[in-house]
Amino acid sequence: MNGDMYLAWASNEENRNKADCGGAVTALLKFALESGLVDAVLAIKARDGDRYDGIPVLITDPEEIKDTAGVLHSSSINIPRYLKEYMAGVYNRKLAVVCKPCDARAIIELTKRDVMHLENLLLIGLNCTGTFSPVTAKEMFKEKFGVNPSDVIKEEIEDGKLKIRLKDETEVERDLKVLEEEGYGRRENCRRCEIKIPTMTDIACGRWGNTDEKMTFIEVCSDKGSNLIESAIEAGSIKVEKPNSEAIETRRKQDALAIKLAQEWQEKDFAPFKAMSADERFNYWFSQFSQCIKCFGCRDACPICFCEHCMLEADRGYVSGGEIPPNPLWPMVRVVHVMDSCINCGQCQDACPMELPLAKLIFMLNKEVAPRFDYEPGINVESRAPSATVTDTELTIEDVALFLKKSV
Ligand code: SF4
Ligand code: SF4
Ligand code: SF4
């Protein structure tokens, strides 16, 4: 039932030995398809075996599930955007979606706006300590680990270390904090991310707390998740045992350590802005946004940008059409529009060709707004975002300028 915890692994010995953490997630996905619990599975796989090139795949053949086994740390695929943008036609079918905490949070936000419907989705959450940009990862493995990036077959972040395994089964590890201070390591938003165990999904799966490398620690987070696990046990697809209190405590401690590291990064990233006067902050962001080339990349990448008729389109009459570069407040309109619901996925910043620190700004603003409205985005499907109570017409470009000066 909801709240239950398991140590689980694939019943098939061969699969258990081959897959990460005993192959429980792969076995559950296969079972969900075979048993008709879902019609398809949306997951990520390495294109042509290249772990730096993850692509989303929609699978209906249970035999293809094995292609998605293993975690790709160097692929921060925008699963909720993909789901929203390209899969509207299959919403009347049941989908299992493999998601990181930020993916699941975006799906929750979109559900509240009636863009998605959770009753058709089975969310298989994976714990996440962070993802890497593929370019940074390759350079880091070469420069800091002294290995050929194509020899890496696995990455793991644990105990403040980045550990990698190579084709010849040797392992190399480096201190994550040191790597990140040198400009390597995780994507910037991931460093600040405090939600590592996706308890807003149907089941949250990961290695923290497992007592054997060939086991997955699973927390059941909904009745749907409970039904999946219990049916898979009954059908003989997975085997389970109950974690003891020591395993549960180990998981809690690993999570606490990752959250502490995220909070340290937040302090570090925000400190320069806290030290600025209001005018200095305004000038800083104004100079950043003066570089915007109005490519719409940030808007198009953002999984929670939900308006069907975006305020930034010229025909809305809110900004002048054809103006390039746009008014520096142009990107700020989007910032203000999403800051109460931003789930810190970093996709906007990744997409920006001018490398503007968009996710940093929006996350900072969200940290200001969230406690004032007692609203944490993407956690609870019942609570409403503060902006859901505000109409378009209440916000003017002067309001945005004033807000920027006061708050950032
Ligand atoms: S933002 Fe958080 S959940 Fe998303 S990829 Fe980064 S660490 Fe993982
Ligand atoms: S504003 Fe940026 S960081 Fe926030 S949800 Fe959108 S894309 Fe992700
Ligand atoms: S992605 Fe960057 S350059 Fe493009 S519209 Fe957004 S802020 Fe401007």
Side-chain angles (χ1 to χ4, degrees), residues 75-76 100-103 105 126-131 186-187 189-196 343-346:
S75 297
S76 48
K100 307 183 294 298
C102 58
D103 299 326
R105 294 177 70 199
L126 303 182
N127 294 0
C128 180
T129 37
T131 47
R186 298 166 296 170
R187 293 158 66 234
N189 60 301
C190 294
R191 297 174 189 175
R192 294 187 291 263
C193 174
E194 295 163 276
I195 300 183
K196 307 296 190 187
I343 43 78
N344 182 43
C345 66

Side-chain angles (χ1 to χ4, degrees), residues 292 294-300 302 305 307-324 326-338 358 392 395 397 400:
C292 170
K294 200 179 171 184
C295 70
F296 284 93
C298 52
R299 180 198 68 175
D300 293 346
C302 178
C305 266
C307 300
E308 279 186 18
H309 194 180
C310 175
M311 292 168 75
L312 294 172
E313 296 289 351
D315 66 345
R316 290 292 303 270
Y318 192 74
V319 292
S320 312
E323 188 190 5
I324 296 181
N327 183 316
L329 291 179
W330 189 90
M332 266 312 288
V333 173
R334 197 190 78 81
V335 168
V336 172
H337 215 183
V338 296
L358 300 167
D392 292 353
L395 194 69
I397 209 129
V400 174

Side-chain angles (χ1 to χ4, degrees), residues 243-364:
N244 59 25
S245 54
E246 200 182 326
I248 295 170
E249 182 58 10
T250 302
R251 179 179 184 250
R252 191 199 63 74
K253 279 188 181 158
Q254 292 282 359
D255 188 31
L257 189 70
I259 292 171
K260 185 167 166 281
L261 190 60
Q263 289 167 344
E264 284 170 12
W265 268 109
Q266 289 173 20
E267 270 178 41
K268 200 171 159 162
D269 286 351
F270 301 166
F273 298 99
K274 288 190 176 148
M276 289 179 190
S277 68
D279 279 346
E280 283 169 338
R281 280 198 292 270
F282 179 81
N283 291 337
Y284 172 81
W285 288 110
F286 203 84
S287 72
Q288 288 290 321
F289 290 135
S290 299
Q291 301 166 55
C292 170
I293 56 167
K294 200 179 171 184
C295 70
F296 284 93
C298 52
R299 180 198 68 175
D300 293 346
C302 178
I304 58 149
C305 266
F306 58 89
C307 300
E308 279 186 18
H309 194 180
C310 175
M311 292 168 75
L312 294 172
E313 296 289 351
D315 66 345
R316 290 292 303 270
Y318 192 74
V319 292
S320 312
E323 188 190 5
I324 296 181
N327 183 316
L329 291 179
W330 189 90
M332 266 312 288
V333 173
R334 197 190 78 81
V335 168
V336 172
H337 215 183
V338 296
M339 69 185 188
D340 65 338
S341 309
C342 170
I343 43 78
N344 182 43
C345 66
Q347 298 287 350
C348 53
Q349 192 161 320
D350 287 353
C352 181
M354 304 311 290
E355 300 187 356
L356 304 184
L358 300 167
K360 186 190 282 184
L361 172 63
I362 301 171
F363 187 78
M364 265 195 301

